[in-house]
Amino acid sequence: VSQSRYYMSFTLDKTVSIEGRFHGNVGKFKVNDMDLGWGDNSHIKGSVFINGLPELDETSMDLRISGASTNVKDVEWLPLFPFDSGQHVRLPENIRLMKEIQFKGRFTGLLSNFNAYGDFMTGLGYVSANLNVTYDAGIRNYIYKGELTTRDFDIGSFTFTPRLGKTTFGLTVDGKGIKLNDVRATMAHYRDWE
């Protein structure tokens, strides 16, 4: 068992650091006590098991996040694959409103079909999710099904409908799309606790 620390730099002014106990090889590995840091103040701590690289479509993952924190600036600094194109992540406007995000949870499955559950504390309020997410290449969009719960979440700002304001609710969702203008979802079992 060895402890390693690696640094990678995607730009001249920022560093990505990875610390943890690595076991295995590129095709199948596990990282315990992981601390991935980037940007001015972003970290993901936990453990990860990856099997199937370099074939991304066949790669399974089990990512257990004991604590993560980030912000819009640090996320939008991240480069898009293949990492040398000069293009960076661009978040949808409603996600940008969350500003600071803290997360604890788990992702399991393939990149194109995974289960995600966890708790988010954001600049707009609290969200808990338990979702199955699938990427449908035919429609070039994400399909999701599961449950969402909020507490004091500013749904009015998130949906650009100010009259809705902050609310606390639980609902079952079945839909597709992650950008606000292409979301198509059915919501059932609405529960309002306020």
Side-chain angles (χ1 to χ4, degrees):
V1 176
S2 65
Q3 177 102 3
S4 302
R5 186 166 180 90
Y6 297 94
Y7 289 96
M8 299 176 286
S9 181
F10 295 113
T11 65
L12 296 174
D13 63 337
K14 302 279 184 172
T15 299
V16 173
S17 64
I18 304 171
E19 184 176 333
R21 294 181 301 141
F22 297 77
H23 308 272
N25 56 46
V26 172
K28 181 178 181 181
F29 66 89
K30 184 173 187 174
V31 182
N32 290 316
D33 303 321
M34 176 186 70
D35 186 352
L36 170 65
W38 76 94
D40 293 329
N41 198 22
S42 292
H43 283 273
I44 298 174
K45 296 181 180 186
S47 66
V48 62
F49 175 74
I50 305 262
N51 185 17
L53 288 173
E55 302 300 324
L56 288 178
D57 291 341
E58 300 171 14
T59 298
S60 64
M61 63 180 171
D62 185 352
L63 178 59
R64 298 171 189 224
I65 300 172
S66 58
S69 61
T70 191
N71 57 58
V72 171
K73 179 182 172 189
D74 286 353
V75 171
E76 290 190 337
W77 169 80
L78 293 170
L80 292 174
F81 187 80
F83 309 120
D84 60 358
S85 68
Q87 294 182 323
H88 294 266
V89 171
R90 178 72 178 147
L91 296 171
E93 271 311 305
N94 58 329
I95 302 296
R96 295 182 95 240
L97 293 172
M98 292 183 174
K99 298 179 182 173
E100 302 283 332
I101 300 169
Q102 296 177 9
F103 176 76
K104 182 178 180 181
R106 187 173 180 190
F107 296 85
T108 60
L110 304 171
L111 291 174
S112 60
N113 184 358
F114 61 90
N115 293 310
Y117 57 90
D119 301 316
F120 296 86
M121 186 50 142
T122 77
L124 294 178
Y126 170 86
V127 177
S128 181
N130 185 350
L131 299 171
N132 174 262
V133 180
T134 304
Y135 182 75
D136 186 326
I139 62 171
R140 296 177 55 191
N141 215 335
Y142 290 91
I143 298 171
Y144 44 84
K145 187 175 194 169
E147 297 177 355
L148 291 174
T149 303
T150 70
R151 185 173 59 241
D152 293 326
F153 186 77
D154 190 348
I155 194 75
S157 292
F158 187 74
T159 62
F160 306 106
T161 312
R163 63 184 159 78
L164 294 177
K166 288 186 177 184
T167 189
T168 297
F169 62 83
L171 53 88
T172 301
V173 295
D174 187 352
K176 64 182 176 182
I178 57 172
K179 292 184 181 176
L180 191 58
N181 62 347
D182 69 12
V183 169
R184 302 291 177 259
T186 302
M187 294 180 237
H189 306 294
Y190 171 83
R191 297 181 311 271
D192 187 349
W193 289 296
E194 290 194 324

